[in-house]
């Protein structure tokens, strides 16, 4: 995607709209208070708007609304308790322990609860500082809550006026990221592809798409207007989301043996032509995403039918000139790629039309599956919290680390004069995350961003004296801060520091130099505390959790395979069950990949068995792709005349899956006989393949192309090949797991 398209995506993203909403929600009342000369007394109002608004994560309307109301009540209670008792230091220590543990531990209930806990901790930190008088505690708590209520009203108004805005923004972003995935895929078709780099990029992109899909599923399937009270627009949005899932599977299942492809066709132009066309398709998918976000129809930048016909002509020409009975299987593989491109092309053409919201597309629309099975489950039972009160829980360990870091920071602020000592605690709360890799990254970004922001603020205040210009710059910094807070913490840190300094300059310009110094010093101290506590106090290293993610990947891939493969053994295919198992397999793969990526950011001494784990992640990716490819044929034509042959293969592969799980669980050690067993051969297919080769040899390619066996052979050969690849991959996983277990022992 070019820079113009990236800029368009940014302008229509929900990140920017969130930043603008929070900024104007805080600035508008501030201007009113400033006009009446009461801004300094009412400063808690815009602060309440910003903090309560920060808990407004994407999700279904009712969950967002409920989260905002809970945040308002929780923050009011924390502000009152903390404000009235902040002069009694031993009680503040007790509050740090209670609030630190509780508000960090509620992250077990998901991101929304985690956001409420984080904001409640920030309110606690603000109110233990002595900048408020004792008599003003209740008043300031009420003003803060009023700011939160103002944001809640703003949210309700926008939701009423633009009920589908968030869905369009997230769905558009989903298509943009999907286009990027296909663009990465195109890299395999050009000369001398860097397989490792492309694989790493694909894994990263799949993690992003998994997160997008989970958020969209929750919003779309929990929005009554889309599922039951649907309008034409809501039906089209639902259809586009479902099409995006199918398109993602289609891209995923186009995995090929690219080394063999290049060996067979590098001296022709056909692969480069395919790669160029795939890049065009990727660009079209991204254009569709931008159109959904902006609300305008999308149009293809190329004539896709003409481009596809060129690919098909190139394939037919190459086949006519070069195919023999010996290399026939290479052309079967190339034909399957061409079929996949045709399918993706038709889907993209349909999606272009969908961006016009043509009523005819949704005329016969209805939800024919149980949507509850596709929604991420989140339980809010108290027992969940109680069960996590153990050192075995990574959430509880994180809560202990946060609490200890806060105790150290608060003690330091009592014994040393840091000016704005509460900034130390703010740094600790915002930086520390359960994963060491994320804490480390945010630590670096926080320090670097604070220093750059402070220097930028000093230069701006030194060279610009115009109050209006400074106010505009402050608003721009606020928008950037709350736009990038969840996508680029480095930019957010720079922007937060800048707007805080400009804000302090408006309130009290005489002390701005001291504020600059305090901001940098307090941030560095807080970052140092956060780093050492995260590194040495009950750390949870990713290698201690990866085996659980591997177990889930094996389990979900097996369920996905069994559901799909059943059709080839003559049993009925439950499409809804297949889609659920597909979702679970992709989520398990993304979780495993994400865990491995976090391991790369940990200290070298903690990066155990990295080569073996990398190999397993790679094989899991290929395994899911091959099963997805198999599912395409299961939904179309399963060739039930070969049920006996396929049943033998299915049983063998199931035994291999079980062996992999047993090795990981420690119930099987040493060499396994199953790794030396060959997959049962499909004798009927071998006979058909020999017949086809004989036809080509005797009557030539042109005449034999009319043979009815050609298409059946092409599909059967591919299906059989997929079973063989799945078997080979599972055996490879068994061998990799044997190395992991042996090394662990």
């Amino acid at each position: 995607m070019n820079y113009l398209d990236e800029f368009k995506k940014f302008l229509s993203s929900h990140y920017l709209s969130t930043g603008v909403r929070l900024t104007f929600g805080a600035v508008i009342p501030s201007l009113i208070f400033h006009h009446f000369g009461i801004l300094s007394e009412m400063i808690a109002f815009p602060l309440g708007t910003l903090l309560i608004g920060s808990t407004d994560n994407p999700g279904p309307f009712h969950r967002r609304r409920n989260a905002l109301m809970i945040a308002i009540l929780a923050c009011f209670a924390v502000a009152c308790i903390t404000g009235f008792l902040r002069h009694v230091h031993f009680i503040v220590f007790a509050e740090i322990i209670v609030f630190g543990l509780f508000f960090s531990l509620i992250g077990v209930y998901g991101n929304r609860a985690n956001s409420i806990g984080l904001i409640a901790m920030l309110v606690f930190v603000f109110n233990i500082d002595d900048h408020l008088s004792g008599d003003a505690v209740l008043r300031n708590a009420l003003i803060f809550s009023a700011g939160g209520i103002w944001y809640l009203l703003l949210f309700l108004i926008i939701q009423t006026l633009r009920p589908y805005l968030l869905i369009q923004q997230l769905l558009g972003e989903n298509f943009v990221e999907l286009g990027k995935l296909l663009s990465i895929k195109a890299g395999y078709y050009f000369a001398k592809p860097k397989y490792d780099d492309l694989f790493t990029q694909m894994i990263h992109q799949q993690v992003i798409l998994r997160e997008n899909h989970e958020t969209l599923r929750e919003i779309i399937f929990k929005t009554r207007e889309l599922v039951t009270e649907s309008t034409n627009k809501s039906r089209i949005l639902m259809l586009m989301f479902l099409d995006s899932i199918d398109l993602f599977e289609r891209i995923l299942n186009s995995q090929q043996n690219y080394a063999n492809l290049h060996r067979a066709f590098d001296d022709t132009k056909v692969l480069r032509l395919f790669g160029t066309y795939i890049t065009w398709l990727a660009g079209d998918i991204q254009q569709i995403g931008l159109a959904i976000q902006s609300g305008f129809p999308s149009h293809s930048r190329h004539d896709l039918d003409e481009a596809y016909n060129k690919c098909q002509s190139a394939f037919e020409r190459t086949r006519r000139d070069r195919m023999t009975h010996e290399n026939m299987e290479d052309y079967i593989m190339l034909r399957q790629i061409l079929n996949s491109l045709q399918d993706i092309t038709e889907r993209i053409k349909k999606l272009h039309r969908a961006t016009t919201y043509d009523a005819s597309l949704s005329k016969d629309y209805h939800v024919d599956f149980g949507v509850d099975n596709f929604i991420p489950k989140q339980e809010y039972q108290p027992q969940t919290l109680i069960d996590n009160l153990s050192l075995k829980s990574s959430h509880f360990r994180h809560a202990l680390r946060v609490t200890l870091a806060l105790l150290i920071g608060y003690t330091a602020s009592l014994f040393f004069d840091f000016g704005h000592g509460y900034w130390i605690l703010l740094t600790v709360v915002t930086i520390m995350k359960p994963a060491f890799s994320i804490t480390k990254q945010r630590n670096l970004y926080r320090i670097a961003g604070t220093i750059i922001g402070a220097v930028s603020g000093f230069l701006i205040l030194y060279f610009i004296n115009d109050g209006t210009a400074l106010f505009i710059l402050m608003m721009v910094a606020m928008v950037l801060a709350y736009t990038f807070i969840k996508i680029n913490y480095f930019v957010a840190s720079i922007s937060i520091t800048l707007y805080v300094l400009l804000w302090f300059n408006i309130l009290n310009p005489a002390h701005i130099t001291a504020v600059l110094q305090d901001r940098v010093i307090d941030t560095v101290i807080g970052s140092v505390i956060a780093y050492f506590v995260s590194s040495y106090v009950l750390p949870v290293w990713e290698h201690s959790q990866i085996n659980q993610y591997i177990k889930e990947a094996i389990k979900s891939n097996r369920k996905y395979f069994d559901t799909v493969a059943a059709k080839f053994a003559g049993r009925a295919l439950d499409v809804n069950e297949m889609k659920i198992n597909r979702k679970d397999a992709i989520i398990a793969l993304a979780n495993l990949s994400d865990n491995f990526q976090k391991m790369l950011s940990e200290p070298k001494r903690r990066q155990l068995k990295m080569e073996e784990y990398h190999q397993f992640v790679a094989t899991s990716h290929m395994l899911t792709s091959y099963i997805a490819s198999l599912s395409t044929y299961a939904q179309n034509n399963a060739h039930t005349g070969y049920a006996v042959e396929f049943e033998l293969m299915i049983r063998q592969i199931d035994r291999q899956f079980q062996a992999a799980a047993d090795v990981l669980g420690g119930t099987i050690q040493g060499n396994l006989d199953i790794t030396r067993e060959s997959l049962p051969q499909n004798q009927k297919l071998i006979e058909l393949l020999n017949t086809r080769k004989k036809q080509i040899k005797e009557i030539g390619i042109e005449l034999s192309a009319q043979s009815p066996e050609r298409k059946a052979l092409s599909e059967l050969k591919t299906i059989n090949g997929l079973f063989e690849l799945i078997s080979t991959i599972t055996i490879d996983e068994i061998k990799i797991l044997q190395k992991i277990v042996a090394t662990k022992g």
Side-chain angles (χ1 to χ4, degrees):
M1 179 180 283
N2 57 41
Y3 291 114
L4 179 60
D5 286 343
E6 285 286 357
F7 185 63
K8 289 179 181 177
K9 174 194 169 188
F10 174 74
L11 289 180
S12 56
S13 69
H14 80 278
Y15 298 110
L16 180 60
S17 66
T18 298
V20 171
R21 183 169 64 248
L22 281 170
T23 299
F24 280 91
V27 168
I28 290 173
S30 297
L31 290 175
I32 296 172
F33 297 146
H34 181 71
H35 175 75
F36 289 102
I38 58 172
L39 179 58
S40 59
E41 292 86 0
M42 299 293 290
I43 196 66
F45 190 98
L47 183 62
T49 302
L50 290 173
L51 292 183
I52 297 298
S54 298
T55 66
D56 184 20
N57 294 325
F61 165 75
H62 68 282
R63 288 189 177 174
R64 294 172 67 189
R65 178 200 60 207
N66 294 347
L68 289 171
M69 291 191 293
I70 292 171
I72 292 169
L73 294 174
C75 290
F76 176 77
V78 169
C80 288
I81 294 170
T82 308
F84 284 119
L85 299 175
R86 69 172 177 268
H87 295 298
V88 186
H89 293 309
F90 79 89
I91 291 182
V92 174
F93 278 105
E95 289 173 345
I96 289 176
I97 294 172
V98 174
F99 290 154
L101 287 174
F102 177 75
F103 288 119
S104 298
L105 192 56
I106 61 174
V108 298
Y109 295 121
N111 289 333
R112 204 174 306 280
N114 187 60
S115 295
I116 295 174
L118 173 62
I119 296 307
M121 287 298 298
L122 293 179
V123 170
F124 166 71
V125 169
F126 278 123
N127 282 276
I128 60 174
D129 189 73
D130 228 14
H131 66 292
L132 298 175
S133 63
D135 296 336
V137 170
L138 182 59
R139 176 178 176 273
N140 278 281
L142 289 171
I143 293 173
F144 179 92
S145 299
I149 293 170
W150 156 242
Y151 179 84
L152 175 60
L153 293 174
L154 193 63
F155 158 73
L156 293 173
I157 291 169
I158 294 174
Q159 185 66 25
T160 301
L161 296 176
R162 300 288 303 275
Y164 302 126
L165 177 61
L166 179 62
I167 294 174
Q168 288 178 265
Q169 290 170 334
L170 293 174
L171 185 59
E173 182 180 338
N174 178 58
F175 275 103
V176 170
E177 298 300 334
L178 194 59
K180 290 180 181 178
L181 178 66
L182 186 58
S183 181
I184 295 168
K185 201 85 168 180
Y188 285 106
Y189 290 85
F190 295 109
K192 298 179 180 179
K194 297 180 179 179
Y195 295 110
D196 290 340
D197 291 345
L198 290 170
F199 172 75
T200 301
Q201 292 175 43
M202 286 193 64
I203 289 297
H204 174 71
Q205 202 61 27
Q206 285 184 34
V207 171
I208 293 174
L209 283 164
R210 187 267 300 179
E211 293 172 352
N212 288 354
H213 288 166
E214 289 296 281
T215 303
L216 277 166
R217 280 192 185 97
E218 184 183 36
I219 297 174
I220 290 176
F221 294 147
K222 279 291 186 181
T223 301
R224 185 181 59 185
E225 290 80 7
L226 267 75
V227 178
T228 58
E229 302 175 6
S230 48
T231 62
N232 176 62
K233 186 172 185 177
S234 66
R235 289 195 297 267
I236 293 293
L237 289 172
M238 173 74 86
L239 286 172
M240 285 195 288
F241 171 65
L242 296 176
D243 283 343
S244 77
I245 299 293
D246 290 338
L247 189 56
F248 175 59
E249 183 190 37
R250 191 61 173 166
I251 295 171
L252 192 67
N253 70 27
S254 60
Q255 187 76 15
Q256 299 288 343
N257 189 325
Y258 296 104
N260 284 350
L261 274 176
H262 282 280
R263 173 190 53 77
F265 300 106
D266 254 356
D267 57 341
T268 71
K269 295 181 180 180
V270 68
L271 288 185
R272 291 192 297 277
L273 191 62
F274 279 19
T276 301
Y277 182 53
I278 294 171
T279 302
W280 289 4
L281 293 177
D284 264 39
I285 294 174
Q286 290 174 315
Q287 288 301 311
I288 290 166
L290 294 174
I292 295 171
Q293 284 187 324
S294 65
F296 294 102
S298 65
H299 304 282
S300 179
R301 292 177 174 176
H302 307 278
D303 187 333
L304 297 183
D305 289 329
E306 181 183 355
Y308 173 77
N309 289 335
K310 286 183 178 179
C311 291
Q312 186 176 36
S313 298
F315 164 75
E316 291 174 351
R317 186 168 53 251
T318 304
R319 185 185 63 177
R320 182 184 64 245
D321 297 339
R322 299 165 58 96
M323 191 176 92
T324 66
H325 66 282
E326 294 176 346
N327 63 8
M328 182 187 71
E329 295 180 27
D330 293 331
Y331 287 87
I332 290 177
M333 182 166 49
L334 204 59
R335 164 64 74 179
Q336 296 308 317
I337 295 173
L338 194 63
N339 291 341
S340 180
L341 292 181
Q342 184 181 29
D343 180 69
I344 293 173
T345 301
E346 293 304 317
R347 292 176 187 273
I348 290 174
K349 287 160 62 177
K350 177 185 174 184
L351 285 165
H352 275 305
R353 186 182 170 196
T355 61
T356 67
Y357 295 97
D358 185 345
S360 64
L361 287 175
S362 63
K363 183 172 59 177
D364 299 322
Y365 161 83
H366 64 281
V367 179
D368 59 353
F369 54 87
V371 296
D372 288 341
N373 293 322
F374 293 87
I375 302 172
K377 299 295 188 297
Q378 181 62 65
E379 300 291 339
Y380 295 97
Q381 300 297 327
Q383 189 61 40
T384 303
L385 198 67
I386 296 171
D387 291 342
N388 276 273
L389 295 176
S390 165
L391 289 178
K392 295 180 180 179
S393 166
S394 60
H395 291 283
F396 185 63
R397 286 172 170 245
H398 169 64
L400 289 174
R401 288 194 296 272
V402 171
T403 303
L404 179 60
L406 288 173
L407 289 171
I408 295 172
Y410 181 67
T411 303
S413 70
L414 292 178
F415 286 96
F416 302 97
D417 184 14
F418 293 123
H420 296 75
Y422 66 94
W423 275 345
I424 297 174
L425 305 187
L426 286 179
T427 300
V428 168
V429 170
T430 54
I431 282 180
M432 294 190 70
K433 299 296 176 185
F436 172 83
S437 57
I438 299 177
T439 301
K440 174 185 173 183
Q441 184 187 64
R442 289 172 73 92
N443 225 326
L444 295 174
Y445 287 168
R446 178 80 174 195
I447 294 175
T450 298
I451 294 172
I452 294 173
V455 172
S456 302
F458 173 78
L459 293 175
I460 288 172
L461 293 173
Y462 184 81
F463 288 106
I464 300 176
N465 296 315
D466 183 72
T468 302
L470 290 174
F471 179 75
I472 293 173
L473 286 173
M474 186 193 74
M475 285 191 62
V476 171
M478 287 183 72
V479 171
L480 292 176
Y482 292 104
T483 298
F484 286 98
I485 190 71
K486 293 179 181 177
I487 54 176
N488 191 320
Y489 192 68
F490 177 59
V491 174
S493 294
I494 296 173
S495 304
I496 290 172
T497 301
L498 185 56
Y499 97 70
V500 166
L501 294 179
L502 294 177
W503 186 280
F504 270 98
N505 182 67
I506 293 173
L507 295 176
N508 195 349
H511 295 87
I512 192 62
T513 302
V515 170
L516 273 167
Q517 295 173 349
D518 291 345
R519 177 73 180 180
V520 174
I521 293 172
D522 294 343
T523 297
V524 170
I525 292 172
S527 295
V528 170
I529 292 171
Y531 175 78
F532 279 100
V533 172
S534 296
S535 300
Y536 299 106
V537 178
L538 299 173
V540 179
W541 305 111
E542 298 300 329
H543 71 78
S544 66
Q545 305 178 78
I546 193 168
N547 282 2
Q548 182 60 36
Y549 289 113
I550 290 176
K551 180 181 178 181
E552 289 299 319
I554 294 171
K555 178 182 176 182
S556 58
N557 268 329
R558 181 178 183 179
K559 287 182 67 177
Y560 187 22
F561 169 77
D562 285 342
T563 304
V564 170
K567 182 66 180 293
F568 298 97
R571 296 185 289 275
L573 175 67
D574 187 329
V575 176
N576 288 337
E577 183 183 2
M578 184 203 70
K579 289 181 177 180
I580 294 169
N581 291 337
R582 175 185 67 188
K583 172 183 72 79
D584 292 342
I586 292 172
I587 290 173
L589 175 62
N591 287 338
L592 174 62
S593 304
D594 190 35
N595 179 267
F596 177 76
Q597 291 298 318
K598 289 177 181 176
M599 286 176 67
L600 297 175
S601 300
E602 292 183 337
K604 293 293 183 182
R605 68 181 186 279
R606 299 296 178 182
Q607 295 181 8
L608 308 178
K609 304 177 287 249
M610 294 300 288
E611 182 179 351
E612 289 80 7
Y613 284 129
H614 181 265
Q615 290 173 352
F616 192 89
V617 172
T619 55
S620 293
H621 168 76
M622 289 187 288
L623 182 58
T624 305
S625 297
Y626 293 142
I627 298 171
S629 296
L630 196 63
S631 71
T632 302
Y633 295 99
Q635 295 174 71
N636 297 325
N637 189 347
H639 298 283
T640 53
Y642 295 77
V644 174
E645 286 75 9
F646 285 129
E647 178 66 40
L648 295 174
M649 294 182 176
I650 293 168
R651 290 178 184 174
Q652 171 79 356
I653 293 171
D654 262 333
R655 287 169 54 212
Q656 292 168 189
F657 272 118
Q658 185 60 50
D662 289 343
V663 169
L664 184 64
T667 56
I668 294 182
Q669 298 290 340
N671 294 322
L672 298 169
D673 291 337
I674 198 167
T675 60
R676 295 191 294 270
E677 292 181 17
S678 300
L679 194 68
Q681 288 191 324
N682 191 328
Q683 294 299 327
K684 285 188 178 181
L685 176 61
I686 293 173
E687 293 173 6
L688 189 61
L689 186 63
N690 290 332
T691 301
R692 174 70 177 146
K693 288 181 178 181
K694 186 178 179 181
Q695 287 177 344
I696 294 174
K697 191 172 183 180
E698 292 178 351
I699 62 177
I701 295 172
E702 293 298 327
L703 292 175
S704 65
Q706 310 302 319
S707 170
E709 289 90 354
R710 185 188 67 81
K711 184 178 180 181
L713 174 61
S714 178
E715 286 192 358
L716 278 168
K717 175 60 180 172
T718 303
I719 292 168
N720 196 80
L722 287 169
F723 274 105
E724 291 175 348
L725 287 169
I726 291 169
S727 175
T728 301
I729 291 294
T730 51
I731 289 175
D732 288 343
E733 288 192 340
I734 292 170
K735 294 176 180 178
I736 294 167
L737 290 172
Q738 284 180 291
K739 292 179 183 178
I740 290 174
V741 173
T743 307
K744 184 177 179 181

